[in-house]
Amino acid sequence: MVTSPKDLENLQREIASLAKRQGDLEDVVLEIMERRESAQSRVTELTERLGSVEARIAEVTERRDAAAAEIDAETATLAKERAVVAGSVPDSLLALYEKLRAQRGGVGAARLYQRRCEGCQLELNITEANEVKAAEPDAVVRCENCGRILVRTSESGL
Ligand SMILES: [Zn+2]
């Protein structure tokens, strides 16, 4: 019960202070609601991006699997073709080729193209070129530099 002008004054001061506090709290609530709204739109945006990234992953995975299947099929075909060719090569030459292939990073024979060994990329000198030229067509000739079997063709430059 308000009994004096001083009490009334105190009460009015308290009411004013509470009104200010209410105003401040309403500002805080407003700010929180705005932040919530912005966070929700960010969640929506990120969810959409996630969906698009997941779709892209699915698409790329499908392409990778298709490419792997193609490579597997090609590998199988080449292995069959190689077996046929290897069957027509004399055992000693095949053994030499396999040995060189193991020693020379998977390439045991190289084309001789315009007097250059395509295995090591070095050009044969005149003497070497003449020796290769003089060799019988079915003789096994090898690169002086890398030791690989040289495959002669009409473009060997001899
Ligand atoms: Zn060579």
Side-chain angles (χ1 to χ4, degrees):
M1 188 156 161
V2 180
T3 53
S4 70
K6 188 161 170 47
D7 286 346
L8 182 61
E9 198 181 297
N10 283 342
L11 198 56
Q12 283 172 336
R13 203 177 297 130
E14 197 179 332
I15 288 169
S17 159
L18 286 173
K20 185 183 183 313
R21 179 86 181 116
Q22 187 182 15
D24 290 349
L25 288 174
E26 281 170 358
D27 287 348
V28 168
V29 167
L30 215 65
E31 192 198 320
I32 288 171
M33 282 169 65
E34 278 170 9
R35 283 170 55 189
R36 196 182 111 183
E37 219 169 85
S38 134
Q40 276 176 337
S41 70
R42 185 90 177 112
V43 166
T44 304
E45 184 198 326
L46 289 176
T47 303
E48 282 170 9
R49 276 175 57 192
L50 178 64
S52 119
V53 166
E54 282 173 346
R56 182 96 180 100
I57 288 171
E59 181 194 316
V60 168
T61 301
E62 196 176 300
R63 280 172 49 200
R64 181 205 62 193
D65 291 348
E70 231 171 78
I71 290 168
D72 286 348
E74 194 179 338
T75 302
T77 302
L78 290 175
K80 276 184 206 158
E81 287 175 13
R82 186 191 189 280
V84 170
V85 172
S88 71
V89 174
D91 288 347
S92 60
L93 179 56
L94 193 60
L96 173 65
Y97 168 76
E98 291 293 359
K99 192 181 98 183
L100 289 170
R101 194 163 78 103
Q103 291 170 348
R104 299 279 179 257
V107 181
R111 181 170 73 151
L112 180 63
Y113 183 74
Q114 293 177 353
R115 286 180 39 194
R116 186 181 301 277
C117 166
E118 290 193 327
C120 64
Q121 307 303 326
L122 286 190
E123 194 171 315
L124 274 58
N125 65 35
I126 281 288
T127 312
E128 291 162 355
N130 284 338
E131 281 170 13
V132 172
K133 192 177 179 181
E136 291 297 316
D138 61 348
V140 174
V141 291
R142 294 173 62 183
C143 173
E144 289 283 333
N145 178 58
C146 69
R148 289 187 177 95
I149 297 164
L150 287 173
V151 178
R152 291 171 284 173
T153 70
S154 57
E155 296 172 315
S156 289
L158 300 170

